[in-house]
């Protein structure tokens, strides 16, 4: 059972920021599927929740030239089912459809996931792998500057993610090894190709959260096929280790996942 | 439960005979049609028995109309929250409750000392199995073992993480939880031990001062001299050590209890889902020092049990006690986190097994050294005991010797968990047989075939003294292999390889025992409208008793099954009954319901004779009506019942002889050697359940049983961090489970070799799905990995474990590129 807290449903960005500022220890909530379980376990105790999903600027999915722009409060289920997303970046739609279970997908939002930066979450790999731009209530942040380690981002206190703009790639693929219990990513690789450029982002494995695998990017830029990765390895030193996967196994899965993502563009590949 | 002495007792020091056909059957072993009062069963009149009658409880359950414990609330109820130990082992120096007492909404903060002051005693768990046919587990000195008193709240120290040491009762759940955080316990951390083998090592931390070395049971069974002689002349000895991992039930409905006290009558009502309300009532009344007449226990729908709910939980006694002190209703519902920490857990057996074979692969003798981790105190020795009687599995092994030990550790208590003890020993013998086959270069199936107990040797006495009642073990294996399409394995192998996968097959034969509490009672009433009410003391948690029991009574009374209603789970109606465990329910309930039905028909016959004017013995009974060949008059059971005098019969029956369900299961897996993903692609089984009352329900039980066994082999695990003593799987984030998308469709078949021990010939169903599954999955994975040099892997066989095994294997480097 949670500790007592106040609840505020914000209607505008200004309203949200003011409500956040006026409380001692406020927290923004969108879908709540990370925050609420933490509160139920009494591991988080904000005195005010400021609910963001009714703010109009946080809604909408649209193609804007060579970009796909998704509102931060769009749910995983909405992204997965969107014809616009499926047409522009099918791997992104498939990724969204692989998050959690139907209940989670109908409440959880892209903005919530990205702002939380759980090291085992799916979305950060797509945001980083596609080189997206994160639009906030204050500014625009490049994906490469946004993720700052486990559960940490470039967001300032009170700053709100409003939408995320994804460059539409020539192709992209996502391969995920799931934790046998939680089904979060044990290691998952998002691979995107833009002409001769390739970006590879890996989530679930790194002890600093999502990261780009530059060696693989260079090898794939030269030759975009799974075999280009032969002999390349991620350093186990930077990997998380727990009873579900050791650092060495995670490092191995990074390579296997990247190869499978290259081999299966336009979709989700589940390694387990 | 009473102790009985007879020649069949398996005392540790009794000189056991070599295994073989059992010529001298103990008295009362076989079913006696005459003595039972049932007479010869009218098998030709079975109309409903054997039919897949749809489960009548399901409409209620799937439309949200189930009555689970937490669904009940009483006006004015209070809420209890527990203060739990954060340490695996710590002395309680003092408990300061002052701040919590002052907190808003708090009515009481109670400690173990308060319970002692009120005269509360320990829960009388009665953990030593005591039917005539159970092995006799004793302390190292031969005495009855010290089990570690289970006080509702300890006063000396906490012995596992999560042990409740104080209770807060408040006006709301939130207030109770807030105040629980204000209770200050002055802890003195003590050294701790979680592993049962570590706990027996010299200098290990002491869980109980009364038991130096922590092993509180140490018994030996079998003819050691004969075993040693056989090992000395064996052509080959196979040997292995296994750990059967600890798991927890993860019931959908967390455990809960609501106690309501009526100051007018002095009676308490406890709503508490369990495996049997009668036991809960008896043991809780004793714990609280209540007259049993002053306690009513209600156990309506139960959202999962698997053994975890068979024993009394401290919180049940605590809310009962608090409600009597405060004269207000008090409710407790466990969170999922509390369930993971403090539901009674399962398995956790270390076993060292050895098998001696002659040059032709005939089994000569077996040795086993089994160590059961019971946790911080002993609530049940059933797993160790049940397994002890079955170490030789489905095979004729002339001589065997077993050392059976039970050990205290700083972990949550273990309890009988679905198919208590049997999956553990089945895993051990079946893995050992595969090892022997491989080491001797023999075919795994041929080696099994050569050693299975033959139907002509039934009843068969094992080297452990168990008397297998009946079964056609080789036929089971052949049928399961046919169902599995065994001959097409090479083709499937090639197909898998073409897809970059490695295919493996694991086969296990099993035999298990169904013993359980020997007493059961049935009360049957026929109302004037023809409705039949049956009161019975078993407790379903999804097994479909309301359907299958109704089928039995319907056929006995020759009435439509829709007219029969089964009443369960209210101790004001059910006075006696053993609950549901150990696969006992259909056998015990079916027998006593048949007896009561026969009694009822005898009474009805006398009444009908009066009504029709013929002697009772000349009446025919067909389609629920009495008639006489010389008259066109008939009288039905309904017509013989009046509102003032409904037809009624009650019977209590005691049945000790165990039965031995048996069968074969086969699992096929495909492994991706790059990702280490294991996929179960095929699973077939044959289960000899004796007479099958409802094949649809038995199949459903088999499916669930298989999933549960597969779950343990593939995902489920309760590991403990050795350094901190903290459980590592405290939520579903870390505890993997079988799900609809990771288990296959099963091909299950039923075999009905009738047991001679009871009128219907029932054995048991459901647990047979679980018993061989640990072995089949592990053996299939090892079969797939054998070409890569892997010879051993422990459960659960996760991708991580596979990865480790592949990297430790000698041939790993060259084979894995």
């Amino acid at each position: 059972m949670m500790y007592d807290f106040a609840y505020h449903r914000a209607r505008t960005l200004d309203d949200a920021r003011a409500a956040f500022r006026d409380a001692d220890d406020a927290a923004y909530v969108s879908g709540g599927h990370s925050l609420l379980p933490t509160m139920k376990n009494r591991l988080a105790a904000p005195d005010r929740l400021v609910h963001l999903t009714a703010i109009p600027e946080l809604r909408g999915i649209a193609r804007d030239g060579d970009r796909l722009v998704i509102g931060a409060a769009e749910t995983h289920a909405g992204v997965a089912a969107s014809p616009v997303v499926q047409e522009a970046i099918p791997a992104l739609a498939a990724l969204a459809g692989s998050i959690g279970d139907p209940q989670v997908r109908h409440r959880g939002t892209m903005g919530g996931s990205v702002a939380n930066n759980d090291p085992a979450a799916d979305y950060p790999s797509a945001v980083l792998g596609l080189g997206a731009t994160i639009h906030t209530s204050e500014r625009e942040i490049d994906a490469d500057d946004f993720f700052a380690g486990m559960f940490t981002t470039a967001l300032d206190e009170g700053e709100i993610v409003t939408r995320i703009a994804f460059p539409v790639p020539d192709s992209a693929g996502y391969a995920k090894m799931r934790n046998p219990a939680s089904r979060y990513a044990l290691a998952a690789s998002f691979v995107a190709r833009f002409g001769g450029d390739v970006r590879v982002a890996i989530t679930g494995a790194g002890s600093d959260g999502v990261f780009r695998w530059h060696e693989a990017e260079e090898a794939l830029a030269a030759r975009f096929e799974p075999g280009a990765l032969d002999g390349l390895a991620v350093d186990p030193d930077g990997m998380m280790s727990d009873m579900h996967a050791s650092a060495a196994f995670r490092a191995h899965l990074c390579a296997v996942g990247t190869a499978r993502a290259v081999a299966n563009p336009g979709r989700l590949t589940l390694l387990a | 439960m009473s102790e009985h002495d007879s020649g069949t007792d398996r005392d540790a020091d009794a000189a056991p005979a070599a295994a073989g056909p059992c010529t001298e059957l103990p008295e009362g072993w076989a079913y006696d049609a005459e003595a039972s009062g049932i007479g010869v069963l009218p098998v030709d009149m079975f109309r409903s028995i054997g039919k897949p009658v749809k489960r009548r409880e399901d409409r209620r359950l799937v439309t949200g109309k189930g009555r689970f414990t937490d669904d009940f609330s009483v006006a004015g109820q209070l809420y209890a929250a527990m203060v739990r130990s954060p340490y695996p082992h710590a002395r309680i120096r003092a408990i300061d409750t002052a701040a919590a007492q002052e907190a808003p909404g708090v009515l009481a903060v109670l400690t173990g000392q308060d319970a002692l002051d009120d005269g509360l005693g320990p829960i009388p768990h009665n953990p030593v199995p005591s039917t005539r046919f159970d092995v006799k587990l004793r302390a190292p000195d031969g005495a009855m073992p010290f089990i570690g008193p289970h006080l509702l709240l300890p006063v000396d120290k906490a012995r596992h993480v999560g042990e409740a040491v104080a209770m807060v009762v408040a006006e709301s759940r939130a207030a109770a939880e807030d105040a629980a955080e204000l209770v200050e316990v002055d802890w003195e951390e003590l050294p701790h031990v979680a592993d049962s083998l570590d706990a027996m090592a010299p200098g290990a931390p002491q869980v109980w001062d009364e038991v130096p070395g922590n092993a509180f049971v140490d018994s030996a069974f079998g003819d050691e001299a004969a075993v040693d002689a056989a090992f000395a002349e064996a052509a080959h000895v196979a040997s292995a050590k296994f750990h059967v991992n600890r798991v927890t039930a993860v019931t959908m409905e967390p455990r809960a209890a609501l106690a309501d006290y009526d100051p007018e009558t002095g009676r308490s009502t406890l709503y508490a889902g369990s495996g049997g309300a009668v036991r809960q009532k008896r043991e809780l009344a004793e714990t609280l020092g209540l007259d049993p007449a002053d306690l009513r226990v209600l156990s309506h729908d139960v959202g999962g049990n698997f053994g975890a709910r068979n024993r009394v939980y401290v919180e049940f006694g605590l809310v009962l006690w608090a409600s009597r002190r405060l004269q207000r209703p008090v409710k407790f519902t466990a969170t999922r986190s509390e369930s993971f920490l403090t539901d009674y857990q399962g398995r956790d057996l270390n076993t060292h097994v050895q098998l001696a074979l002659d040059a032709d692969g005939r089994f000569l003798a077996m040795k086993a050294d089994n160590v059961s981790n019971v946790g911080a105190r002993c609530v049940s020795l059933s797993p160790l005991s049940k397994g002890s009687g079955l170490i030789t599995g489905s095979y004729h092994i002339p001589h065997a010797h077993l050392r059976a030990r039970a050990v205290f550790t700083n972990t949550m208590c273990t309890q009988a968990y679905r198919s208590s003890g049997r999956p553990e020993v089945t895993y051990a013998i079946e893995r050992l047989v595969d090892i022997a086959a491989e080491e001797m270069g023999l075919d795994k199936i041929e080696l099994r075939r050569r050693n299975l107990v033959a139907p002509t040797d039934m009843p068969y006495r094992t080297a452990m003294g168990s008397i297998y009642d009946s079964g056609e073990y080789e036929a089971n294996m052949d049928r399961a292999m046919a169902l599995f399409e065994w001959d097409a394995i090479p083709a499937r192998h090639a197909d898998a390889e073409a897809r970059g996968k490695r295919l493996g097959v694991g086969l296990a034969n099993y035999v298990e025992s169904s013993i359980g509490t020997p007493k059961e009672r049935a009360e049957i009433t026929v109302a004037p409208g023809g409705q039949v009410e049956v009161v019975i003391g078993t407790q379903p948690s999804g097994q479909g008793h309301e359907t299958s029991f109704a089928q039995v009574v319907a056929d006995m009374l020759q009435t439509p099954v829709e007219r029969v209603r089964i009443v369960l789970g209210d101790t004001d109606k059910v006075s006696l009954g053993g609950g549901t465990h150990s696969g006992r329910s259909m056998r015990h309930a079916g027998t006593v319901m048949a007896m009561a039905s026969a009694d009822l028909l005898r009474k009805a016959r006398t009444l009908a004779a009066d009504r029709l004017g013929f002697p009772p013995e000349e009446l025919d009974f067909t389609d629920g009506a009495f008639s006489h060949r010389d008259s066109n008059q008939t009288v039905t059971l309904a017509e013989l019942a009046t509102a003032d005098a409904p037809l009624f019969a009650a019977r209590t029956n005691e049945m000790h002889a165990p039965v031995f369900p048996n069968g074969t299961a086969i699992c096929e897996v495909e492994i991706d050697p790059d990702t280490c993903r294991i996929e179960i692609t095929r699973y077939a089984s044959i289960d000899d359940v004796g007479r099958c009352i409802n094949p649809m329900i038995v199949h459903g039980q088999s499916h669930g049983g298989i999933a549960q066994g597969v779950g343990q082999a593939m995902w489920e695990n309760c590991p403990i961090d050795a350094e901190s003593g903290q459980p590592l799987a405290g939520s579903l984030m870390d505890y993997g489970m079988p799900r609809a998308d990771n288990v296959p469709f099963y091909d299950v078949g039923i075999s009905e070799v009738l047991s001679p021990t009871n009128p219907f010939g029932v054995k048991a169903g459901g647990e047979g799905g679980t018993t061989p599954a640990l072995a089949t999955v592990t053996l299939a994975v090892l079969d797939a990995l054998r070409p890569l040099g892997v010879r051993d892997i422990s459960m659960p066989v996760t991708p991580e474990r596979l990865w480790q095994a592949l990297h430790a294997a000698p041939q790993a480097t060259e084979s894995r590129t």
Side-chain angles (χ1 to χ4, degrees):
Chain A
M1 189 140 290
M2 302 172 186
Y3 294 108
D4 268 354
F5 61 89
Y7 172 85
H8 179 76
R9 188 174 187 81
R11 303 286 166 182
T12 66
L13 278 173
D14 285 345
D15 175 21
R17 279 181 294 191
F20 187 93
R21 205 170 43 233
D22 293 347
D24 287 339
D25 186 16
Y28 289 126
V29 64
S30 183
H33 272 51
S34 297
L35 181 59
L36 299 187
T38 314
M39 290 171 66
K40 283 181 181 173
N41 280 326
R42 299 197 154 201
L43 298 172
D47 63 350
R48 174 182 285 179
L49 287 190
V50 180
H51 204 162
L52 301 177
T53 53
I55 300 171
E57 288 95 323
L58 272 60
R59 304 310 294 249
I61 299 176
R63 177 77 181 257
D64 179 12
D66 62 353
R67 309 218 125 199
L68 174 69
V69 182
I70 300 179
E74 292 298 330
T75 63
H76 312 326
V79 172
S82 161
V84 178
V85 180
Q86 287 170 1
E87 151 86 41
I89 315 176
L92 180 61
L95 173 151
S98 78
I99 299 172
D101 53 35
Q103 288 86 343
V104 167
R105 291 197 287 275
H106 280 84
R107 298 298 304 178
T109 66
M110 180 180 282
S113 169
V114 170
N116 190 44
N117 194 19
D118 186 314
D122 293 281
Y123 269 137
S125 70
V127 170
L128 188 61
L130 288 162
T133 304
I134 293 98
H135 295 251
T136 77
S137 50
E138 323 294 330
R139 56 188 165 143
E140 294 174 14
I141 310 172
D142 280 348
D144 284 312
D145 302 325
F146 183 82
F147 299 105
M150 226 182 250
F151 297 107
T152 311
T153 66
L155 290 172
D156 289 330
E157 186 77 6
E159 189 173 4
I160 298 168
V161 176
T162 54
R163 59 192 184 275
I164 297 172
F166 295 92
V168 176
D170 295 320
S171 76
Y174 184 57
K176 170 161 69 167
M177 179 77 172
R178 293 178 298 177
N179 179 314
S182 70
R183 300 210 169 179
Y184 274 84
L186 269 184
S189 180
F190 196 99
V191 177
R193 184 160 72 122
F194 299 87
D197 284 339
V198 176
R199 290 175 69 101
V200 176
I202 288 175
T203 188
S207 44
D208 286 330
V210 66
F211 67 94
R212 280 175 70 185
W213 186 13
H214 295 290
E215 270 181 290
E217 291 176 350
E218 284 160 26
L220 290 167
R223 188 159 63 97
F224 194 76
E225 58 183 56
L229 298 165
D230 285 352
L232 292 188
V234 176
D235 185 355
D237 275 353
M239 299 287 106
M240 290 190 281
S241 185
D242 54 38
M243 65 179 168
H244 301 294
S246 56
F249 185 38
R250 276 193 164 88
H252 167 75
L253 289 172
C254 293
V256 175
T258 302
R260 301 251 171 131
V262 170
N264 297 284
R267 65 188 192 89
L268 163 81
T269 305
L270 289 178
L271 308 184
Chain B
M1 238 184 294
S2 53
E3 289 273 345
H4 294 264
D5 280 320
S6 86
T8 59
D9 276 354
R10 281 176 283 171
D11 289 306
D13 18 321
C22 186
T23 46
E24 282 174 47
L25 290 164
E27 203 183 315
W29 180 85
Y31 165 63
D32 183 336
E34 203 150 311
S36 73
I38 304 179
V40 178
L41 267 185
V43 174
D44 53 327
M45 289 184 195
F46 285 0
R47 290 172 188 187
S48 174
I49 290 175
K51 301 280 193 317
V53 176
K54 282 204 177 142
R55 289 164 44 106
R56 37 198 355 215
E57 43 275 85
D58 284 356
R59 176 174 291 273
R60 179 179 86 242
L61 295 174
V62 303
T63 55
K65 303 229 167 49
R67 294 183 298 164
F68 298 92
T69 302
D70 192 50
D71 293 332
F72 292 92
S73 283
V74 181
Q77 75 190 12
L78 304 170
Y79 296 81
M82 302 299 147
V83 178
R84 298 187 181 277
S85 170
Y87 303 111
H89 199 192
R91 194 169 306 287
I92 303 167
R93 285 211 201 93
I95 300 180
D96 182 354
T97 62
Q101 303 264 19
E102 298 293 307
V106 171
L107 280 94
V109 183
L110 299 170
T111 65
Q113 190 56 50
D114 297 321
L116 285 185
D117 293 347
D118 276 5
L120 271 59
I123 302 169
H125 282 301
N126 193 7
V128 187
S130 61
T131 73
R132 274 181 251 169
F133 294 90
D134 286 304
V135 300
K136 298 279 176 279
L137 295 170
R138 294 292 178 265
D141 64 2
M144 285 301 282
F146 170 85
I147 60 167
H150 198 180
L151 296 172
L152 298 184
L153 298 168
V155 286
D156 56 345
K157 55 185 187 176
R159 290 177 173 80
H160 65 88
V161 173
E163 182 166 7
V165 297
M167 167 176 59
V168 177
V169 184
E171 294 283 358
S172 72
R173 187 165 176 165
E177 289 183 12
D178 287 350
E181 292 183 2
L182 301 175
V183 173
E184 282 193 36
V185 184
D186 180 6
W187 295 106
E188 176 193 342
E189 284 187 68
L190 298 170
H192 52 84
V193 63
D195 177 272
S196 60
L197 299 181
D198 291 348
M200 292 192 299
Q206 285 287 128
V207 181
W208 291 93
D209 295 340
E210 292 85 345
V211 184
N214 296 317
F216 65 100
V217 165
D218 190 350
S219 295
F221 305 95
D223 186 341
E224 193 166 19
V227 168
D228 286 344
F231 269 76
E233 66 185 37
H236 184 79
V237 171
S239 173
K241 290 180 181 176
F242 304 118
H243 179 237
V244 179
N245 50 320
R246 182 183 285 231
V247 292
T248 186
V250 198
T251 57
M252 281 175 73
E253 178 203 11
R255 67 181 197 269
L258 166 61
D260 190 11
Y261 174 64
D262 182 350
E264 300 270 312
T265 61
R267 283 195 96 205
S268 284
T269 300
L270 182 74
Y271 301 77
S274 70
V278 173
R279 167 188 235 142
Q280 300 283 326
K281 170 179 164 167
R282 183 180 65 232
E283 296 187 356
L284 283 167
E286 191 177 329
T287 303
L288 270 78
L290 295 178
D291 179 344
D294 286 339
L295 178 58
R296 178 187 190 188
V297 178
L298 296 168
S299 176
H300 293 299
D301 290 311
V302 176
N305 177 3
F306 316 114
R309 290 188 210 266
N310 286 345
R311 301 285 171 162
V312 170
Y313 281 109
V314 291
E315 293 90 350
F316 294 12
L318 288 171
V319 293
L320 203 49
W321 172 47
S323 72
R324 293 181 75 90
R325 274 181 70 117
L326 298 168
Q327 308 221 342
R328 295 268 300 270
V330 180
K331 188 174 193 173
F332 169 80
T333 302
T335 62
R336 182 61 65 192
S337 304
E338 286 178 304
S339 299
F340 267 107
L341 282 180
T342 56
D343 277 356
Y344 292 130
Q345 301 183 337
R347 315 275 191 243
D348 203 341
L349 181 82
N350 275 295
T351 178
H352 177 200
V353 281
Q354 293 172 275
L355 182 65
L357 303 92
D358 72 11
D360 295 330
R362 289 215 158 64
F363 300 165
L364 302 173
M366 179 183 181
K367 290 183 199 175
D369 185 356
N370 290 356
V371 178
S372 171
N373 187 343
V374 303
R377 47 181 62 76
C378 181
V379 303
S380 174
L381 284 168
S382 158
L384 184 63
S385 161
K386 293 285 190 309
S388 294
L390 292 168
I391 57 164
T392 56
S394 310
Y395 307 102
H396 173 55
I397 305 180
H399 304 286
H401 184 261
L402 165 71
R403 184 179 187 190
R405 283 175 286 180
V407 180
F408 292 123
T409 60
N410 296 114
T411 62
M412 183 55 199
C413 315
T414 54
Q415 210 306 80
Y417 171 83
R418 201 171 194 174
S419 198
S420 169
R422 290 84 118 192
E424 293 92 313
V425 296
T426 303
Y427 177 84
I429 184 76
E430 291 296 323
R431 282 207 57 189
L432 193 58
V433 170
D434 259 37
I435 289 168
E438 193 183 333
E439 288 174 349
M440 295 181 74
L442 297 171
D443 177 75
K444 290 182 285 193
I445 303 303
E446 181 50 36
L447 181 61
R448 286 178 166 84
R449 205 179 285 287
R450 217 170 276 179
N451 290 286
L452 284 170
V453 174
T456 47
D457 287 348
M458 295 287 179
Y460 170 89
R461 179 194 287 270
T462 73
M464 283 293 107
S466 298
I467 302 169
Y468 293 175
D469 58 307
S470 61
E472 297 170 359
Y473 297 175
E474 188 175 5
N476 291 339
M477 193 165 79
D478 285 331
R479 278 188 64 197
M481 288 168 71
L483 206 54
F484 188 75
E485 299 177 293
W486 185 271
D487 294 339
I489 291 173
R492 295 200 295 270
H493 214 283
D495 176 60
E497 210 160 277
R499 289 180 281 110
K501 303 284 179 64
R502 298 208 167 254
L503 184 139
V505 173
L507 176 145
N509 294 307
Y510 77 89
V511 55
E512 56 168 26
S513 58
S514 170
I515 310 180
T517 303
K519 261 192 200 169
E520 193 55 64
R521 179 178 169 84
E523 296 174 5
I524 303 182
T525 310
V526 179
Q531 295 86 358
V532 181
E533 186 184 84
V534 183
V535 176
I536 190 86
T538 64
Q539 177 64 57
S541 48
Q543 294 90 332
H545 292 180
E546 291 167 54
T547 307
S548 54
F549 288 9
Q551 289 177 256
V552 170
V553 174
D555 279 7
M556 294 303 292
L557 300 181
Q558 296 184 34
T559 195
V561 68
E562 301 75 35
R563 293 229 184 123
V564 184
R565 194 170 76 89
I566 308 294
V567 176
L568 304 139
D570 177 350
T571 58
D572 275 6
K573 293 186 177 151
V574 182
S575 59
L576 195 153
T580 291
H581 58 269
S582 190
R584 72 179 288 279
S585 291
M586 180 47 80
R587 185 166 49 93
H588 281 279
T591 299
V592 75
M593 288 188 301
M595 288 174 166
S597 298
D599 292 345
L600 186 135
L601 287 180
R602 263 189 293 279
K603 285 186 189 172
R605 183 176 286 271
T606 312
L607 294 171
D610 274 356
R611 196 78 71 91
L612 297 175
F614 293 100
E617 63 277 10
E618 289 183 12
L619 299 182
D620 293 321
F621 181 65
T622 43
D623 293 337
F626 290 98
S627 60
H628 191 275
R629 60 185 177 279
D630 295 340
S631 164
N632 60 2
Q633 272 196 303
T634 62
V635 60
T636 64
L637 290 179
E639 288 162 354
L640 291 169
T642 64
D644 293 339
L647 280 175
F648 175 81
R651 194 53 116 89
T652 302
N653 183 46
E654 193 162 326
M655 199 159 63
H656 284 261
V659 292
F660 293 83
N662 56 86
T664 303
I666 317 174
C667 175
E668 189 164 286
V669 299
E670 286 185 9
I671 293 176
D672 181 331
D674 278 338
T675 63
C676 297
R677 176 189 197 166
I678 306 165
E679 193 178 358
I680 298 177
T681 46
R682 187 175 284 249
Y683 202 103
S685 69
I686 293 291
D687 297 300
D688 173 4
V689 300
R691 174 152 349 254
C692 176
I693 306 297
N694 184 323
M696 184 194 69
I697 287 179
V698 170
H699 282 323
Q701 286 289 302
S702 296
H703 292 177
I706 294 168
Q708 197 145 12
V710 165
Q712 168 157 19
M714 297 275 289
W715 306 286
E716 298 184 50
N717 201 27
C718 295
I720 289 185
D721 180 63
E723 201 173 311
S724 67
Q726 296 293 324
L728 293 172
S731 78
L732 289 164
M733 291 292 283
D734 286 310
Y735 191 88
M737 297 280 290
R739 305 186 187 201
D741 70 355
N742 62 13
V743 289
F745 284 93
Y746 310 113
D747 297 309
V748 295
I750 292 169
S751 167
E752 291 188 84
V753 180
L754 301 186
S755 174
T757 60
N758 64 83
F760 289 98
V762 166
K763 288 176 181 163
E767 294 190 329
T770 308
T771 302
L774 282 55
T776 61
V777 172
T778 305
L779 291 175
V781 168
L782 287 172
D783 186 47
L785 300 183
R786 189 159 290 113
L788 303 179
V790 176
R791 291 289 177 275
D792 189 22
I793 193 163
S794 55
M795 294 183 292
V797 288
T798 58
E800 163 67 17
R801 291 254 170 93
L802 226 67
W803 162 260
Q804 299 295 349
L806 285 169
H807 280 258
Q811 299 165 24
T813 30
E814 66 265 33
S815 315
R816 283 207 68 267
T817 41

